[in-house]
């Protein structure tokens, strides 16, 4: 805690409490204790929550002047002394008390002003709104809860210029923030600035002018308190719940424009108790550690030092920073590009006749590279095209293209880079007239003539990515910037760097072991068809459909904490060889509708994973051959177990646990954890030919790793054996290792 | 004869109780089961399953002639319709704000307020209020309806994943119950319940609509999903333990077996009897799967279902 701020806030609190005390004494003498107190807005619409901050904090109802004595005494009792010169302790607790005392005093003062008919404020013929009515609180509250208007900005003071004032308010509105206006700086108020520029203020435009003094900021706290009453179902007096509700659910903050004074600090301290941080556009001490607020408490961003070409850009960045500090997630309603966008266009093909330009593909130079950066390295929404655009490409030209995406986010992790990068494919395909194939440095994009005729440019690729990353991955992504390169040498140079990263990532994923983590993930997506099926996904085995890796699941869980991918803590190890853990067993038991009690990760014979119909492959033991066969979904041939893939599915699919049979992904065969209990790949006596071919290289490596370099030649497929009778002589002839291994049953 | 020992399952969970109405209005409480439907020998079934009759805010244009005959003039007046439904024995009125549908009048918040207010004053039993089923319009009219009905503890639906925050917020603010609707899937149903609780709605303010088809039109899928939801609830999973509501009426009366009054094969027998049977069997099957509230359309069905429920709820059944 800053000593400077603490001292200032406590001084401010003492001053305002004294003012309240004097005013109350005077009012009681002149008006008497029975004068009713009611806060209403300029239309005369009020609240049923008395003085809401006081009511929220203490449960005390102020209905008439005489009722104010109790909260005033309460405020006085909270007041700490101003820290003496030689006291160097942290002052957080005391400063917060001072903040609460300030809000009490301010609300008392406003209440008295109402009793005297001095509120809402009228100045130069302009009537301020005053406090927000209950009716309006309810309607905005619903939008707060449903996320369309996540919170409010209490703007205090005046901006550097009228133009900056307008820009700040517009930016805040575009981020879905309500804007509350109060106080002055050097005698100017942001309300004056906006009125001079002809900006409409009021409920209709989501900008509420409270008043020209700092005391009226208390109306913001009153609004927040009533939101917690209505939408948090919290009883008055339950102050802790009210504050927590606001900290986690109401995305509000104070934006202090211009010099600070004691009362502003004192009021700010009150706001911080609600979890609302303050961002100041002047030089003030930072209070960065988090605690009462979700992230930083007080952030200083001196306006003239903000990087930017002009004041407009500086204003934009200032608001951007506010959004970050409060942790507000932004949804963008529409992908703003000149062609249609949606899942309907995902399968669309751009044919040669309609080809305007393409990037990548055979002989092309194209790559996509997504990197996680630090918060201050990414400017949200910045899209840069380095090099020529469509208008300088010949029709049908093959152009170099480098798509570099920088993301940042408080919940972003380095490991999510590949997960997000793979989304580029899906996002870009959504645009009408854009065809996207593959990823990384084999990406291939084609753009149709009609799309370019409608005004589609490379820049719009950036818009697509920016919008969709925010909308679909807002839980982990706070800011996204995109740079598109179209100059050959630059693209080649960056591609070189990207390739190094791709290799590092692959090595990292290949090196990720089951032992290195203490949590696996589940997938229950398939329960709609196979009600008892649970995929348990570990770093060395993907889901049986091949579509979900451990990392994918981890990212999916961050994005949707109530979704189908949940963490499965391993818990106590029951058997390291079988791969059986208490945590996994109990998770599977609970999520299989209490059908599956035991579950091992490393065995085919003892409680293997359940199988649902979408597995890429299914394996089954062939007792006669002392081994297992693996048939892939695209292989229609008969297999030595006497069943085709489809018939096998009918037997084991649907969420059954069948020792000796199990569904799995194609790539699982290459895992180090491929049925180790049964002896790994050496047990495979029959494997679909298409899999052998598709993964020829990978399988060769695995066989070498397992010390059986010529194993692939010894494994049969549909071309040599479709019955056990045909299989056995083949294995004998080749000397397949399974024949001499210990009995599988 | 040797005595047969009835195997008794020991359940640990219990369905949450949800109250509708109250505050001067009659109240209806559903839920509270600690065993599967009607198994009195195994656990307690403190609340009767109840029947809601669907009432529309505007005269339905495409309803079966059987329904038009049964209701007559009141179809044009939601208040009169609701009153008559109450006389026929409805425990709840399910008011559907259909006129807000973009293709059926596209009315807005004002019309919704007016109609809800009218029906609330016409009857003293609890209300369910349905939007037209188009997310944007649902949010508009349900938020308005919620405001008018503040304090009357109505159920608002449907609340789906895409608009769950708005409906939950208005339910919290005005003290109502949300009907969470998900497409025939246990995990989605559970997930929506979790999401609603995350927003701040309490567990005793949520009903689940697992989505149903009529007899012969996918009823069995719903049956099995409801059964599993209820088994999970009784097994102790609080996030599947919300009482269930099904719309047997709407589904049955859409199908040709019920809808038409002529032009059907002779062998199908008496048209009206067949139509009523369709709604009745659909409704009863869903009660047997665990439904707590059934929304139906024909007065005849109410009578028939009440008779069945009476028998099944008497402990000696
Ligand atoms: S098969 Fe794939 S989608 Fe289905 S549960 Fe397993 S991982 Fe999830
Ligand atoms: S249909 Fe599949 S259950 Fe059946 S498999 Fe596909 S998603 Fe799994």
């Amino acid at each position: 805690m800053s000593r400077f701020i603490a001292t200032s806030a406590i001084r401010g609190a003492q001053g305002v409490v004294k003012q309240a005390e004097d005013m109350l004494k005077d009012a009681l003498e002149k008006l008497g204790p029975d004068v009713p107190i009611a806060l209403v807005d300029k239309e005369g619409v009020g609240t049923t929550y008395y003085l809401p901050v006081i009511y929220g904090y203490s449960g005390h109802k102020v209905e008439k002047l005489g009722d104010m004595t109790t909260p005033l005494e309460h405020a006085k009792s909270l007041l700490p002394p101003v820290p003496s010169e030689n006291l160097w302790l942290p002052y957080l607790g005391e400063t917060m008390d001072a903040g609460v005392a300030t809000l009490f005093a301010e609300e008392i003062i406003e209440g008295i002003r109402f009793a005297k008919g001095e509120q809402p404020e009228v100045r130069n013929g302009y009537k301020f709104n005053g406090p927000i009515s209950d009716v309006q609180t309810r309607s905005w509250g619903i939008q707060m809860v449903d996320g369309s208007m996540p919170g409010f900005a209490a703007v205090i003071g005046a901006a550097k210029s009228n133009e900056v004032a307008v820009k700040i308010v517009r930016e805040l509105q575009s981020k879905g923030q309500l804007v509350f206006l109060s106080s002055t700086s050097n005698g100017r108020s942001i309300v004056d600035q906006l009125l001079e520029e002809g900006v409409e203020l009021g409920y209709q435009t989501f900008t509420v002018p409270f008043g020209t003094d700092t005391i009226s900021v208390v109306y913001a706290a009153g609004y927040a308190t009533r939101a917690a009453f209505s939408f948090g179902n919290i009883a008055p007096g339950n102050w802790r719940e009210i504050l927590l509700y606001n900290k986690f659910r109401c995305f509000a903050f104070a934006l202090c424009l211009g010099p600070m004074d004691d009362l502003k600090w004192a009021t700010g301290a009150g706001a911080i108790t609600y979890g609302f941080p303050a961002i100041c556009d002047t030089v003030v001490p930072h209070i960065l550690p988090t605690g009462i607020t979700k992230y930083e408490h007080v952030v200083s961003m001196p306006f003239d030092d903000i990087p930017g070409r002009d004041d407009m850009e500086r204003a934009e960045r200032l608001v951007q920073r506010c959004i970050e500090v409060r942790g507000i997630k932004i949804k963008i309603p529409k992908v703003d590009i000149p062609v249609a966008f949606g899942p309907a266009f995902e399968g669309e093909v751009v044919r040669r006749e309609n080809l305007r330009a393409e990037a990548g593909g055979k002989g092309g130079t194209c790559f996509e590279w997504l990197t996680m950066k630090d918060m201050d390295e990414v400017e949200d929404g910045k899209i840069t095209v380095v090099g020529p655009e469509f208008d300088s490409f010949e029709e049908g030209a093959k152009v170099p293209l480098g798509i570099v995406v920088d993301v940042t986010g408080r919940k972003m992790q380095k490991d999510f880079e590949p997960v997000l990068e793979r989304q580029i494919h899906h996002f870009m395909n959504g645009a009408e007239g854009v065809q996207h194939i593959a990823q990384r440095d084999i990406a291939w994009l084609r753009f149709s003539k009609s799309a370019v005729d409608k005004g589609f440019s490379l820049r719009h690729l950036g818009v697509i990515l920016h919008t969709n990353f925010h909308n679909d991955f807002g839980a982990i992504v706070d800011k996204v910037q995109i740079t598109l390169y179209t100059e050959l040498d630059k693209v080649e140079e960056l591609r070189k760097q990207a390739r190094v990263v791709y290799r590092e990532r692959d090595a990292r994923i290949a090196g990720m072991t089951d032992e290195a983590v203490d949590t696996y993930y589940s997938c229950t997506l398939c329960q709609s068809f196979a009600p008892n099926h649970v995929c348990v996904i570990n770093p060395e085995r993907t889901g049986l459909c091949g579509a979900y890796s451990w990392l994918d699941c981890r990212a999916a869980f961050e994005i949707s904490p109530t979704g189908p991918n949940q963490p499965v803590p391993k818990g106590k190890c029951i058997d390291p060889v079988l791969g059986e853990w208490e945590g996994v067993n109990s998770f599977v038991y609970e999520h299989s509708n209490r059908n599956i009690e035991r579950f091992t990760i490393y065995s085919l014979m003892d409680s293997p994973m359940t199988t649902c119909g979408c597995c890429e492959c299914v394996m089954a033991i062939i007792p006669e051959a002392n081994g297992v066969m693996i048939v892939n979904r695209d292989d229609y041939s008969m297999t030595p177990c006497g069943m085709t893939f489809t018939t096998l599915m009918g037997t084991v699919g649907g969420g059954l646990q069948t020792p000796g049979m199990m569904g799995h992904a194609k790539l699982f065969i290459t895992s180090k954890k491929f049925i180790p209990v049964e002896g790994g790949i050496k047990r495979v006596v029959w494997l679909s030919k298409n899999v052998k071919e598709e993964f020829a290289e990978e399988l060769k490596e695995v066989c070498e790793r397992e010390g059986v370099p010529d194993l692939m030649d010894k494994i049969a497929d549909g071309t040599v054996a479709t019955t056990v009778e045909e299989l056995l002589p083949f294995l004998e002839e080749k000397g397949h290792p399974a024949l001499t291994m210990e009995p599988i049953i | 004869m040797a005595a047969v020992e009835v195997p008794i399952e020991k359940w640990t969970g219990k369905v949450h109780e949800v109250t509708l109405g109250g505050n001067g209005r009659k109240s209806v409480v559903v839920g509270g089961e600690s065993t599967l439907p009607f198994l009195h020998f195994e656990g307690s079934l403190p609340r009767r399953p109840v029947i809601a009759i669907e009432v529309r805010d505007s005269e339905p244009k495409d309803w079966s002639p059987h329904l038009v005959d049964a209701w007559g003039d009141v179809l044009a007046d939601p208040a009169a319709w609701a009153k008559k439904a109450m006389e026929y024995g409805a425990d709840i009125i399910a008011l559907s704000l259909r006129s807000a549908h973009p293709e059926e009048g596209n009315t807005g918040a004002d019309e919704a307020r007016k109609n809800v207010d009218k029906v609330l004053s016409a009857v003293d039993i609890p209300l369910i209020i349905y939007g037209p089923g188009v997310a944007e319009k649902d949010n508009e009219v349900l938020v308005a309806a919620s405001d008018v009905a503040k304090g009357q503890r109505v159920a608002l639906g449907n609340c789906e994943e895409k608009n769950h925050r708005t409906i939950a917020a208005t339910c919290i603010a005005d003290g109502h119950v949300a009907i969470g609707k998900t497409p025939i899937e246990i995990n989605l149903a559970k997930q929506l319940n979790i999401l609603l609780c995350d927003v701040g709605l309490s567990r005793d303010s949520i009903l689940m609509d697992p989505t149903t088809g009529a007899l012969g039109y996918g009823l069995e899928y719903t049956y099995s999903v409801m059964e599993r939801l209820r088994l999970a609830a009784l097994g102790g999973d609080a996030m599947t333990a919300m009482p269930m509501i099904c719309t047997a009426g709407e589904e049955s009366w859409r199908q040709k077996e019920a809808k038409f009054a002529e032009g059907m094969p002779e062998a199908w027998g008496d048209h009206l009897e067949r139509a009523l049977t369709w709604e009745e069997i659909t409704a009863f099957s869903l009660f047997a799967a665990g439904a707590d509230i059934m929304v139906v359309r024909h007065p005849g069905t109410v009578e028939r279902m009440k008779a069945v429920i009476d028998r099944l709820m008497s402990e000696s059944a």
Side-chain angles (χ1 to χ4, degrees):
Chain A
M1 185 79 212
S2 146
R3 181 193 156 78
F4 170 83
I5 295 178
T7 308
S8 197
I10 292 170
R11 239 185 355 239
Q14 289 180 338
V16 76
V17 171
K18 179 80 178 53
Q19 184 186 347
E21 188 173 14
D22 294 346
M23 279 178 76
L24 181 57
K25 192 159 160 263
D26 178 67
L28 283 171
E29 274 165 20
K30 296 201 175 116
L31 306 171
D34 294 326
V35 181
I37 304 289
L39 301 191
V40 296
D41 67 8
K42 70 172 184 185
E43 305 299 338
V45 187
T47 173
T48 56
Y49 296 106
Y50 315 99
L51 295 183
V53 172
I54 290 171
Y55 191 42
Y57 253 103
S58 63
H60 182 82
K61 298 175 184 173
V62 174
E63 289 169 278
K64 43 190 182 29
L65 206 55
D67 298 334
M68 286 182 168
T69 323
T70 311
L72 181 72
E73 289 308 315
H74 190 157
K76 279 163 73 181
S77 73
L78 283 170
L79 274 188
V82 174
S84 69
E85 282 301 320
N86 46 16
L87 179 63
W88 296 102
L89 289 173
Y91 313 100
L92 190 61
E94 282 142 7
T95 312
M96 295 302 108
D97 284 348
V100 177
T102 304
L103 296 181
F104 271 44
E106 289 175 338
E107 207 163 45
I108 288 170
I109 293 172
E110 295 295 15
I112 297 171
R113 288 175 175 169
F114 267 105
K116 294 188 187 159
E118 293 169 8
Q119 273 287 312
E121 182 179 342
V122 181
R123 197 170 76 145
N124 304 334
Y126 179 77
K127 189 164 184 188
F128 285 71
N129 185 81
I132 296 166
S133 68
D134 278 356
V135 178
Q136 197 57 51
T137 304
R138 174 182 183 275
S139 131
W140 279 340
I142 289 172
Q143 295 180 61
M144 182 180 91
V145 178
D146 76 16
S148 50
M149 209 164 55
F152 63 79
V155 183
I156 297 167
K160 181 181 172 188
S161 66
N162 285 10
E163 294 71 40
V164 171
V166 175
K167 179 73 179 168
I168 286 176
V169 169
R170 293 279 179 260
E171 282 296 306
L172 286 168
Q173 288 172 321
S174 79
K175 311 277 192 246
Q177 290 296 101
L178 278 168
V179 184
F180 299 159
L181 308 158
S182 24
S183 191
T184 53
S185 293
N186 303 326
R188 288 279 283 167
S189 151
I190 186 163
V191 176
D192 300 335
Q193 295 180 312
L194 295 171
L195 290 175
E196 282 161 22
E197 295 306 308
V199 176
E200 283 276 339
L201 302 180
Y203 292 151
Q204 298 312 324
T205 57
F206 309 106
T207 45
V208 186
F210 283 155
T212 52
D213 61 9
T214 305
I215 291 173
S216 65
V217 177
V218 75
Y219 293 149
Y223 172 80
T225 307
R226 285 179 286 154
F229 288 151
S230 304
F231 298 98
N233 249 332
I234 301 166
N238 216 334
W239 58 272
R240 193 166 180 277
E241 298 296 315
I242 291 173
L243 303 186
L244 286 176
Y245 183 88
N246 277 289
K247 171 177 175 178
F248 290 110
R249 308 222 181 209
C250 177
F251 290 94
F253 55 86
L255 175 55
C256 305
L257 305 174
M260 297 294 287
D261 58 29
D262 288 352
L263 186 56
K264 284 183 187 172
W265 281 124
T267 309
I272 287 175
T273 63
Y274 279 78
F276 303 155
I279 294 88
C280 306
D281 77 342
T282 50
V283 184
V284 298
H286 285 288
I287 306 181
L288 296 183
T290 68
I292 301 175
T293 61
K294 207 162 163 203
Y295 301 117
E296 296 86 349
H297 291 118
V298 176
V299 171
S300 166
M301 220 177 160
F303 194 80
D304 290 328
D305 298 346
I306 300 173
R309 263 180 319 221
D310 52 25
D311 280 354
M312 293 301 105
E313 241 183 64
R314 281 185 268 276
E316 210 179 306
R317 299 233 165 110
L318 179 64
V319 171
Q320 178 63 43
R321 183 80 179 111
C322 297
I323 301 293
E324 279 165 45
V325 170
R326 191 58 184 96
I328 296 166
K329 300 290 176 188
I330 300 164
K331 287 253 184 247
I332 306 163
K334 182 176 163 291
V335 183
D336 191 12
I337 53 175
V339 294
F341 186 90
F345 301 101
E346 268 175 41
E348 187 196 17
V349 176
V350 176
R351 298 191 195 287
R352 182 132 299 274
E353 316 81 80
N354 190 20
L355 181 71
R356 178 63 182 82
E358 66 180 332
K362 220 166 150 204
T365 314
C366 179
F367 71 94
E368 295 159 357
W369 181 20
L370 181 141
T371 316
M372 170 181 160
K373 290 272 168 74
D374 282 339
M375 264 293 175
D376 52 5
E377 288 178 287
V378 181
E379 190 181 318
D380 188 44
K382 182 170 159 196
I383 300 165
T384 322
V385 180
V386 182
E389 260 276 9
F390 280 121
D391 44 19
S392 42
F393 302 150
E394 272 171 44
E395 199 170 299
K398 190 176 268 262
V399 300
L401 179 62
I403 301 171
V404 175
V405 183
D406 298 322
V407 303
T408 183
R410 292 181 193 262
K411 299 201 108 185
M412 179 66 192
Q413 301 178 18
K414 195 86 187 146
D415 275 346
F416 296 162
E417 285 179 351
V419 177
L420 293 181
E421 193 178 273
R422 254 185 303 156
Q423 300 298 323
I424 297 177
H425 168 71
H426 165 66
F427 291 158
M428 289 199 176
N429 262 331
E432 180 189 7
V434 177
Q435 182 186 357
H436 185 284
I437 296 166
Q439 17 77 31
R440 288 191 173 177
D441 54 350
I442 52 170
W444 181 13
L445 284 112
R446 309 190 93 194
F447 305 96
S448 78
K449 280 182 206 161
S450 34
V452 177
D453 288 346
K454 282 185 196 154
F456 191 86
S457 69
L458 287 173
R459 217 189 143 265
H460 293 119
L461 293 177
V463 176
I464 296 172
L465 296 179
H466 175 253
T467 312
N468 284 290
F469 274 124
H470 269 296
N471 288 355
D472 291 5
F473 293 88
I476 49 177
V477 168
D478 292 340
K479 296 203 277 181
V480 189
Q481 77 187 8
I482 298 104
T483 317
L484 300 141
Y485 297 91
T486 56
E487 288 159 338
L488 186 62
D489 48 347
K490 191 79 195 151
V491 176
E492 280 179 339
E493 182 198 318
L494 282 163
R495 186 176 62 175
K496 216 186 282 166
Q497 296 174 26
R499 281 179 172 158
V500 175
V501 175
Y502 300 149
R503 265 197 299 279
E504 281 168 12
R505 280 186 200 158
D506 288 345
R508 158 137 176 79
I509 290 173
M512 223 157 34
T513 61
D514 294 353
E515 291 76 19
V517 301
D518 54 14
T519 304
Y520 296 154
Y521 283 89
S522 68
C523 184
T524 48
L525 216 56
C526 284
Q527 286 201 347
S528 39
F529 297 95
N532 301 334
H533 173 73
V534 184
C535 271
V536 173
I537 296 169
N538 31 303
E540 294 179 81
R541 173 163 70 175
T542 64
L544 50 75
C545 58
Y548 288 86
S549 72
W550 183 84
L551 267 184
D552 293 326
C553 293
R554 199 168 69 157
F557 172 66
E558 282 294 340
I559 293 157
S560 165
T562 57
N565 302 112
Q566 294 293 318
V568 183
K570 285 157 112 177
K572 205 174 129 228
C573 184
I574 297 171
D575 187 330
V577 178
L578 282 174
E580 187 179 2
W581 285 272
E582 272 178 4
V584 177
N585 276 348
S586 66
F587 186 95
V588 171
Y589 181 62
E590 198 171 309
H591 291 83
S592 64
N593 300 308
R594 298 163 185 252
N595 270 288
I596 312 293
E597 289 180 8
R598 283 188 61 223
F599 194 87
T600 69
I601 309 275
Y602 299 140
S603 170
L604 169 67
M605 301 306 296
D606 187 357
S607 311
M609 189 158 92
T610 54
T611 299
C612 80
C614 55
C615 56
E616 285 187 308
C617 298
V618 61
M619 76 170 104
I621 58 159
I622 308 283
E624 298 89 336
N626 201 31
V628 303
M629 54 150 283
I630 297 172
V631 57
N632 169 244
R633 151 180 310 277
D634 298 323
D635 180 354
Y636 305 114
S637 60
M638 181 45 83
T639 73
C641 74
M643 289 186 263
T644 59
F645 179 87
T646 320
T647 331
L648 264 170
M649 262 309 75
T651 323
V652 298
L656 301 178
Q657 186 177 50
T658 321
M661 289 187 181
M662 179 170 74
H664 59 91
K666 289 189 274 194
L667 264 179
F668 179 51
I669 310 169
T670 65
S671 164
K672 284 197 182 110
K673 297 288 163 55
F674 174 76
I675 54 168
V677 173
E678 282 76 31
I681 196 161
K682 279 180 276 191
R683 280 289 181 187
V684 180
V685 294
W686 193 99
L687 173 62
S688 284
K689 192 163 163 46
N690 62 317
V691 178
K692 276 185 174 176
E693 284 166 356
E694 188 181 344
F695 294 98
E697 258 174 59
E698 289 89 342
L699 288 168
K700 193 159 156 261
E701 257 174 56
V702 173
C703 293
E704 279 162 14
R705 184 185 76 204
E706 299 295 313
V708 278
D710 56 350
L711 182 66
M712 274 304 128
D713 305 331
K714 299 177 178 173
I715 298 176
D717 58 43
T719 60
V720 297
T722 51
T723 60
V724 174
E725 289 71 32
E726 287 167 0
L727 177 65
L728 290 179
F730 176 85
L731 299 176
E732 302 262 353
E733 185 200 318
K734 299 278 179 185
H736 193 289
L739 298 177
T740 55
M741 287 166 78
E742 61 180 273
I744 191 164
I745 306 187
Chain B
M1 225 171 80
V4 178
E5 201 185 316
V6 180
I8 303 279
E9 189 82 43
K10 268 256 150 264
W11 296 109
T12 51
K14 188 170 153 258
V15 178
H16 307 306
E17 289 199 337
V18 172
T19 305
L20 293 174
N23 202 3
R25 187 169 293 279
K26 281 190 188 131
S27 68
V28 166
V29 186
V30 293
E33 300 94 325
S34 64
T35 179
L36 291 170
F38 312 120
L39 303 189
H40 300 278
F41 59 85
E42 190 176 87
S44 102
L45 299 155
R47 310 286 175 188
R48 270 173 72 94
V50 298
I51 312 254
I53 293 186
E54 180 178 344
V55 167
R56 295 219 162 171
D57 68 343
S58 54
E59 190 169 355
K61 294 281 175 282
D62 59 347
W63 275 23
S64 163
H66 298 307
L67 290 168
V68 175
D69 282 352
W71 291 108
D73 293 345
V74 300
L75 289 178
D77 176 358
W81 188 349
K83 243 193 202 133
K84 199 157 170 196
M86 194 168 84
E87 286 160 23
Y88 279 128
D91 301 298
I92 299 171
I93 299 298
L95 174 63
S96 165
L97 303 175
R98 196 65 201 183
S99 72
H101 195 285
E103 280 153 26
E104 290 171 51
N106 203 22
T107 61
D110 291 343
E111 182 74 11
R113 281 173 193 281
K114 194 186 82 198
N115 285 319
V116 170
D117 197 38
K118 256 205 266 182
V119 175
L120 277 171
S121 348
V123 295
D124 65 353
I125 53 178
L127 247 60
I128 291 168
I129 303 172
Y130 284 117
V134 181
E136 245 166 65
K137 295 299 288 191
D138 278 354
N139 289 354
E140 179 186 345
V141 295
L142 289 176
V143 169
S146 167
D147 193 22
V148 181
K150 184 166 184 159
Q152 303 292 318
R153 200 157 173 81
V154 303
L156 295 173
N158 286 319
C159 170
E160 299 179 48
E161 194 187 333
K162 53 179 181 293
N163 69 345
H164 77 275
R165 292 176 150 273
T166 308
I167 304 300
T170 197
C171 285
I172 297 169
D174 300 329
H176 299 313
V177 171
I179 302 176
K181 182 165 174 141
T182 46
I184 326 189
E185 220 269 289
I186 171 167
N187 286 313
L188 292 176
K190 178 173 173 176
Q191 186 180 3
L192 184 55
N193 290 338
I194 296 174
L195 291 172
L196 288 169
C197 291
D198 276 355
V199 177
L201 198 61
S202 60
R203 287 173 192 181
D204 59 6
S205 301
I206 303 172
L207 295 169
M208 297 192 274
D209 180 346
T211 305
T212 189
L215 174 65
Y217 295 86
L219 174 66
E220 60 281 12
Y221 282 105
T222 307
Y223 191 103
S224 124
V225 164
M226 289 173 69
E227 202 175 27
R228 276 159 45 214
L229 279 166
R230 186 52 54 85
L231 286 171
L234 295 175
D237 182 350
M239 281 302 135
T240 53
M242 286 66 184
M244 294 186 276
I245 174 168
C246 294
T247 50
E250 183 178 355
E251 292 305 318
S252 313
W253 287 100
R254 274 219 307 240
Q255 307 307 342
K256 61 177 179 300
E257 287 82 351
K259 186 163 184 174
F260 303 114
E262 50 196 42
M264 291 291 130
E266 186 99 8
W268 283 25
D270 182 73
H271 291 144
L272 176 61
E273 179 53 32
R274 187 190 59 239
L276 279 174
T277 307
W278 222 261
E279 183 171 42
E280 179 192 348
I281 301 294
T282 303
F284 175 67
S285 307
L286 295 166
F287 274 133
D292 299 275
I293 304 177
M294 192 67 52
V295 187
V296 301
R297 284 188 176 168
H298 200 286
T301 310
V302 181
E303 196 181 321
R304 293 178 179 203
M305 287 318 304
K306 291 224 151 179
V308 176
I309 294 170
D310 282 346
R311 287 193 49 206
L312 284 167
M313 286 307 286
S314 68
E315 302 259 347
S316 54

